């Protein structure tokens, strides 16, 4: 599906409203994906570098990685981050020779003020199963989960469950997991735990974050 770049906030919100009915929030999605991609974007002023890192779902070894340089096409507005990042991320995903079974976004899916975060947006446009894993809560309220790894509580917004607060390391701050597209919440959390054998954040996020930052340092081509 073709990406649309809005000119105004109202136009951006209208695009989100138009795409939201296309979401598949029931999945169930892959519980043992052969390949998992992490996506991330790094910024330096008006420059950006989008990175996609595909990992083996069992060993977590890097299978393929792609970076794309570009320039910011939409101002930063809370809730509309996808319009800054999706164009470059789509280009990076299209350059892959491996089609990932699951895409993990450093951000949010349904846990979003308009119920359409980056993971939702990217999932609808690509048709790939996607989830969002945030470092902090963007919206909603929640009780703290128990300190044990694997413990979780519901993240709720206006009375609806929009994600889970998931403890990936014992006694360490939790992460915020939400469905993007074609994955249910149980499967999303199952995969996040599989992707966090040693650290708080998924290996997909850690690798794509390093890759995007390195691309800025190495000055990948910017249009």
């Amino acid at each position: 599906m073709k990406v649309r770049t809005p000119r105004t906030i109202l136009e951006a919100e209208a695009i989100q409203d138009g795409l939201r009915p296309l979401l598949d929030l029931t999945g169930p999605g892959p519980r043992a994906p052969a390949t998992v991609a992490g996506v991330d974007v790094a910024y330096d002023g008006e420059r950006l570098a989008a990175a996609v890192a595909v990992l083996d779902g069992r060993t977590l070894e890097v299978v393929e990685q792609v970076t794309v340089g570009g320039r910011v096409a939409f101002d930063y507005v809370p809730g509309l981050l996808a319009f800054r990042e999706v164009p470059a991320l789509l280009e990076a995903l299209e350059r892959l020779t491996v089609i990932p079974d699951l895409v993990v976004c450093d951000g949010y899916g349904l846990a979003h003020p308009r119920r359409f975060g980056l993971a939702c947006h990217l999932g609808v446009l690509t048709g790939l199963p996607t989830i969002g894993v945030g470092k902090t809560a963007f919206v909603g309220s929640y009780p703290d989960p128990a300190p044990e790894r694997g413990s979780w509580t519901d993240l709720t917004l206006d009375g609806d469950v929009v994600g889970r607060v998931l403890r990936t390391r014992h006694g360490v701050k939790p992460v915020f997991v939400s469905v993007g597209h074609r994955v249910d919440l149980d499967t999303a959390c199952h995969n996040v735990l599989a992707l966090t054998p040693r650290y708080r954040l998924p290996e997909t996020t850690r690798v794509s974050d390093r890759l995007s930052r390195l691309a800025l340092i190495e000055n990948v081509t910017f249009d």
Side-chain angles (χ1 to χ4, degrees), residues 3 48 50 52 66-70 85-96 122 126 221 223:
V3 63
L48 63 80
V52 178
V66 172
T67 56
V68 170
E85 302 195 344
V86 160
L89 287 175
L90 281 178
E91 184 177 346
L93 285 164
E94 288 170 356
R95 293 187 186 183
L96 290 174
L122 198 62
T126 62
T221 302
D223 298 326

Side-chain angles (χ1 to χ4, degrees), residues 11-210:
E11 188 176 342
E13 291 176 345
I15 292 172
Q16 289 180 330
D17 291 341
L19 293 176
R20 192 182 306 107
L22 302 178
L23 285 175
D24 175 355
L25 303 176
T26 59
R31 286 188 69 84
T35 53
V36 186
V39 299
D40 201 7
V41 178
Y43 295 91
D44 179 16
E46 292 299 303
R47 301 190 311 153
L48 63 80
V52 178
V54 182
L55 276 57
D56 183 292
R58 184 178 60 86
T59 66
L60 302 185
E61 295 295 323
V62 177
V63 174
E64 186 176 8
Q65 54 190 35
V66 172
T67 56
V68 170
R71 298 197 176 274
V72 173
F74 194 79
D75 290 339
Y76 173 73
V77 179
L80 301 178
L81 178 66
F83 293 101
R84 291 167 65 88
E85 302 195 344
V86 160
L89 287 175
L90 281 178
E91 184 177 346
L93 285 164
E94 288 170 356
R95 293 187 186 183
L96 290 174
T97 62
V98 175
I99 299 176
D101 296 321
L102 178 67
V103 178
V104 180
C105 297
D106 178 22
Y108 309 93
L110 197 61
H112 178 272
R114 300 180 63 79
R115 312 294 174 94
F116 199 78
L118 173 64
C120 297
H121 205 136
L122 198 62
V124 167
L125 292 181
T126 62
L128 297 172
T130 57
I131 63 175
V133 182
K135 302 179 185 72
T136 58
F138 181 33
V139 296
S141 58
Y142 60 93
D144 283 331
E148 294 79 18
R149 168 177 159 85
S151 299
W152 59 270
T153 56
D154 285 331
L155 178 65
T156 59
L157 176 64
D158 300 328
D160 297 325
V161 175
V162 295
R164 282 184 188 164
V165 186
L166 178 66
R167 193 85 66 180
T168 56
R169 305 302 301 157
H170 182 90
V172 174
K173 291 189 299 183
V175 296
F176 298 81
V177 182
S178 56
V179 169
H181 183 56
R182 295 182 57 203
V183 183
D184 64 35
L185 192 51
D186 283 337
T187 302
C189 291
H190 170 84
N191 281 302
V192 170
L193 288 173
L195 291 166
T196 53
R198 294 180 298 275
Y199 300 100
R200 172 181 176 240
L201 296 178
E203 286 300 302
T204 43
T205 300
R206 287 165 44 81
V207 174
S208 58
D209 174 76
R210 289 197 301 267

